[in-house]
Amino acid sequence: MRASDNTMQGMKPGFGPVVGALPLLGLLSTLAGCTVGPDFKRPEAAITKEWRTQGDPRLLKQAEVDTQWWKSFGDPSLDRLVELAYRQNLPLRIAGLRIVEARAQLAILTGRQYPQVQVATGSAAAVGRSENAAASNLIDLANLGEIDRHYLEYQLGFDALWEVDFWGKYRRGVESGTAGLLASVADYQSSLVSLTAEVARTYVLVRTYEVLIEQARENVRIQEEGFRIAESRFNNGATSELDMTQAATLLESTRATIPQLEGGLVQARNALSTLLGQPTGAVEALLAGPKRIPLAPATVAVGMPAEILRRRPDVRSAELFAAAQCARIGIAEAELYPSFSLFGTIGLQASNAGAASTNLFSLGSLAYSVGPRIVFPFLNYGRLKNGVRVEDARFQQLLVNYRNTVLKAGQEVEDSLAGFVSAQKAMAFQQAAVKAAQRSVELAVVQYREGAVDYQRVLDAQRSLLEQQNNLAQTSSSIATNLVALYKALGGGWEVRRDQPVVPEPMQAEMEQRTNWGDMLSKPRAQEAKTLSQPGKQ
């Protein structure tokens, strides 16, 4: 380019190559719009059109499931436990921290779209050349003397390298990172659903053990009365010792069940303490309410099968992980093609060797190097192609996993619906059985006292009463646990934490003391908030 050109007027001739590289920069930036690899589309998944038990009057078809379903049991102790678990559960905190990790990872991937190398450098070196080296015999033609073997050299500069995203490799990276972030949000929501259900299920188990223990103690009192009657009749010669020993056998066997039930109660309470992120024994004060199994509501909103694809976080997580992997195919495929980069180095260099100037900050100390670079790994196609195949095989695995997750979700809903409806139907019959067993005990004891029947009739009646009472407690517990499983299968319960930070404030302060986290520890950002408010539409 001639110095008389308009673009060069007022410039030093040495800047020509720098300016000449600018059109190439603009050209590559314009062409960097191609994106290789497949675009993700939500996979099809087989799902039934309606639930098999949909016609039952206990089940409502309304689309929206209660987002605070545990409150439908009307048990303040359960409400308090769920609230504490949300604040204190440790695995839930880990799920929240994974969101923070994914935010930082996405920021890294986003930064790779910009010049990958931006380095400021500086150095000062004392150089001493060997007398026996070939370079030491060179002649400085300008000064007609030998080159100085001992001198000082100074450098100050800036290096940059930008691999233009010609094939969309870095855009695919951002796409994968975004899907990975949203998948971590969905996993956090899934942890909320599982945590709520597990707290409710364990609470029902605690109350069931308490009811069974109380029933066993009540039956001990009943059987003690029977034993006294048998003992009295034996002492009066009205019956043999066999009646008394049979009464004692039943009484002691009933007493033996109580320590076993108490052991199960302690274990259930310990599990509840762990769910609340507390040491064992911490829940005793929280369980001070009435010792009864939570009563299920008369009707339950279940919606339609297609709704679980929108509501269940684990289904959305499986879809998002597949989307993230789909983008990785494009990243691997971009490695098959040449990469285009622009590099540049500009700086100041000075030395006191010979007649060189030591003025580092003079115009004559300016040095630069700038230009394009192309890298084409044409001899590595076997390795790179197999890399694409690896990513594609992983993607296909995740597609199959998504379909399997949907199938399992449908099965979980159907199973819990069947269990809930069946237990509800059995409840009325079981209540009638308990009333009949209680009346049988009363009649058998009266008739035995009068000598109308032998003690075997009393034994059979008392065994049947304990059995039917336990069956009633188990049926009531089954109704509650199947309802809990149903709400978990429908994916409800995570919505109450939609606007809350995923990392508790005390933990935020602890992390901020070590690292500057910016706004990454705060409430969900725009894209996450959109996913939380419109699940299944990302």
Side-chain angles (χ1 to χ4, degrees), residues 18 21 41 75 88 151 160 164 235 244 260 281 286 294 296 310 319 324 343 345 374 385 387 433 442 444 469:
V18 178
K41 295 181 180 179
D75 192 320
Q88 300 173 175
Y151 58 90
V164 182
N235 292 334
M244 188 176 68
Q260 298 175 12
L286 300 172
R310 180 185 67 86
E319 177 188 341
F343 69 89
T345 299
I374 181 171
K385 283 184 176 179
E442 294 171 1
Q469 285 178 332

Side-chain angles (χ1 to χ4, degrees), residues 120-307:
T121 61
S123 67
V127 181
R129 296 184 179 276
S130 170
E131 295 182 1
N132 299 323
S136 299
N137 299 322
L138 294 178
I139 302 299
D140 185 348
L141 297 178
N143 297 288
L144 298 179
E146 294 185 356
I147 296 178
D148 292 341
R149 291 191 300 107
H150 304 282
Y151 58 90
L152 300 176
E153 187 173 78
Y154 308 94
Q155 282 187 329
L156 188 65
F158 175 77
D159 297 341
L161 175 68
W162 180 31
E163 181 183 342
V164 182
D165 197 13
F166 195 86
W167 308 109
K169 177 172 66 175
Y170 298 118
R171 291 192 296 275
R172 288 296 192 194
V174 173
E175 182 181 325
S176 177
T178 300
L181 170 59
L182 298 182
S184 69
V185 174
D187 283 345
Y188 177 78
Q189 295 169 347
S190 185
S191 297
L192 283 169
V193 172
S194 297
L195 174 62
T196 308
E198 190 61 18
V199 169
R201 188 197 66 81
T202 307
Y203 177 74
V204 170
L205 183 61
V206 168
R207 293 308 191 196
T208 301
Y209 273 121
E210 290 174 343
V211 169
L212 291 173
I213 291 170
E214 185 58 36
Q215 288 179 170
R217 289 171 177 167
E218 179 61 27
N219 276 273
V220 165
R221 288 191 287 270
I222 293 173
Q223 292 167 16
E224 285 175 340
E225 179 62 23
F227 174 78
R228 282 192 294 269
I229 295 173
E231 184 181 36
S232 176
R233 286 175 59 81
F234 168 71
N235 292 334
N236 292 327
T239 186
S240 68
E241 187 181 359
L242 178 62
D243 287 0
M244 188 176 68
T245 56
Q246 286 180 321
T249 300
L250 178 61
L251 174 60
E252 297 306 325
S253 65
T254 302
R255 284 172 173 168
T257 63
I258 295 178
Q260 298 175 12
L261 293 171
E262 289 175 337
L265 175 59
V266 170
Q267 292 174 352
R269 288 177 173 175
N270 291 343
L272 200 53
S273 296
T274 301
L275 289 172
L276 267 60
Q278 298 295 314
T280 55
V283 298
E284 303 299 329
L286 300 172
L287 299 173
K291 296 180 179 181
R292 62 177 180 84
I293 299 172
L295 299 176
T299 58
V300 179
V302 296
M304 299 302 291
E307 291 296 319

Side-chain angles (χ1 to χ4, degrees), residues 163 167 333-341 373-381 383-384:
E163 181 183 342
W167 308 109
E333 189 172 336
E335 298 292 341
L336 292 169
Y337 306 106
S339 63
F340 303 96
S341 303
R373 184 177 71 179
I374 181 171
V375 177
F376 190 17
F378 63 93
L379 294 179
N380 294 313
Y381 269 8
R383 174 176 59 84
L384 297 178

Side-chain angles (χ1 to χ4, degrees), residues 190-524:
S190 185
S191 297
L192 283 169
V193 172
S194 297
L195 174 62
T196 308
E198 190 61 18
V199 169
R201 188 197 66 81
T202 307
Y203 177 74
V204 170
L205 183 61
V206 168
R207 293 308 191 196
T208 301
Y209 273 121
E210 290 174 343
V211 169
L212 291 173
I213 291 170
E214 185 58 36
Q215 288 179 170
R217 289 171 177 167
E218 179 61 27
N219 276 273
V220 165
R221 288 191 287 270
I222 293 173
Q223 292 167 16
E224 285 175 340
E225 179 62 23
F227 174 78
R228 282 192 294 269
I229 295 173
E231 184 181 36
S232 176
R233 286 175 59 81
F234 168 71
N235 292 334
N236 292 327
T239 186
S240 68
E241 187 181 359
L242 178 62
D243 287 0
M244 188 176 68
T245 56
Q246 286 180 321
T249 300
L250 178 61
L251 174 60
E252 297 306 325
S253 65
T254 302
R255 284 172 173 168
T257 63
I258 295 178
Q260 298 175 12
L261 293 171
E262 289 175 337
L265 175 59
V266 170
Q267 292 174 352
R269 288 177 173 175
N270 291 343
L272 200 53
S273 296
T274 301
L275 289 172
L276 267 60
Q278 298 295 314
T280 55
V283 298
E284 303 299 329
L286 300 172
L287 299 173
K291 296 180 179 181
R292 62 177 180 84
I293 299 172
L295 299 176
T299 58
V300 179
V302 296
M304 299 302 291
E307 291 296 319
I308 66 173
L309 299 182
R310 180 185 67 86
R311 186 183 300 113
R312 278 188 60 137
D314 61 332
V315 173
R316 288 186 281 112
S317 174
E319 177 188 341
L320 286 163
F321 275 119
Q325 182 59 36
C326 181
R328 294 189 188 104
I329 299 176
I331 296 174
E333 189 172 336
E335 298 292 341
L336 292 169
Y337 306 106
S339 63
F340 303 96
S341 303
L342 291 174
F343 69 89
T345 299
I346 187 170
L348 302 172
Q349 185 174 12
S351 171
N352 66 351
S357 172
T358 58
N359 186 359
L360 181 64
F361 298 100
S362 66
L363 184 60
S365 298
L366 181 65
Y368 66 85
S369 174
V370 62
R373 184 177 71 179
I374 181 171
V375 177
F376 190 17
F378 63 93
L379 294 179
N380 294 313
Y381 269 8
R383 174 176 59 84
L384 297 178
K385 283 184 176 179
N386 283 313
V388 177
R389 291 164 183 158
V390 167
E391 301 298 342
D392 186 67
R394 291 173 178 171
F395 174 58
Q396 193 63 38
Q397 293 172 41
L398 292 172
L399 290 179
V400 175
N401 178 69
Y402 170 79
R403 297 186 180 100
N404 190 51
T405 302
V406 173
L407 286 177
K408 283 187 175 181
Q411 178 192 345
E412 289 173 6
V413 175
E414 291 282 15
D415 289 349
S416 52
L417 278 173
F420 175 72
V421 171
S422 298
Q424 285 276 25
K425 291 178 179 178
M427 188 66 176
F429 299 114
Q430 195 60 53
Q431 289 172 334
V434 169
K435 289 182 180 179
Q438 289 172 337
R439 182 58 178 162
S440 295
V441 170
E442 294 171 1
L443 293 175
V445 171
V446 171
Q447 291 177 359
Y448 176 72
R449 184 182 288 116
E450 295 174 352
V453 297
D454 60 16
Y455 197 73
Q456 186 62 45
R457 184 70 63 84
V458 177
L459 289 175
D460 291 342
Q462 289 180 342
R463 285 196 191 98
S464 178
L465 175 60
L466 180 58
E467 180 182 356
Q468 297 306 322
Q469 285 178 332
N470 287 345
N471 287 343
L472 178 60
Q474 294 293 353
T475 301
S476 179
S477 178
S478 179
I479 292 174
T481 53
N482 275 290
L483 183 58
V484 170
L486 174 60
Y487 278 119
K488 178 184 178 183
L490 294 172
W494 57 265
E495 296 89 344
V496 296
R497 299 287 296 176
R498 177 178 295 161
D499 297 325
Q500 300 299 316
V502 296
V503 179
E505 292 184 0
M507 187 174 291
Q508 290 185 31
E510 178 185 349
M511 296 174 69
E512 287 285 3
Q513 288 180 352
R514 295 192 304 265
T515 306
N516 179 11
W517 280 94
D519 64 346
M520 288 190 178
L521 300 178
S522 59
K523 293 182 180 180

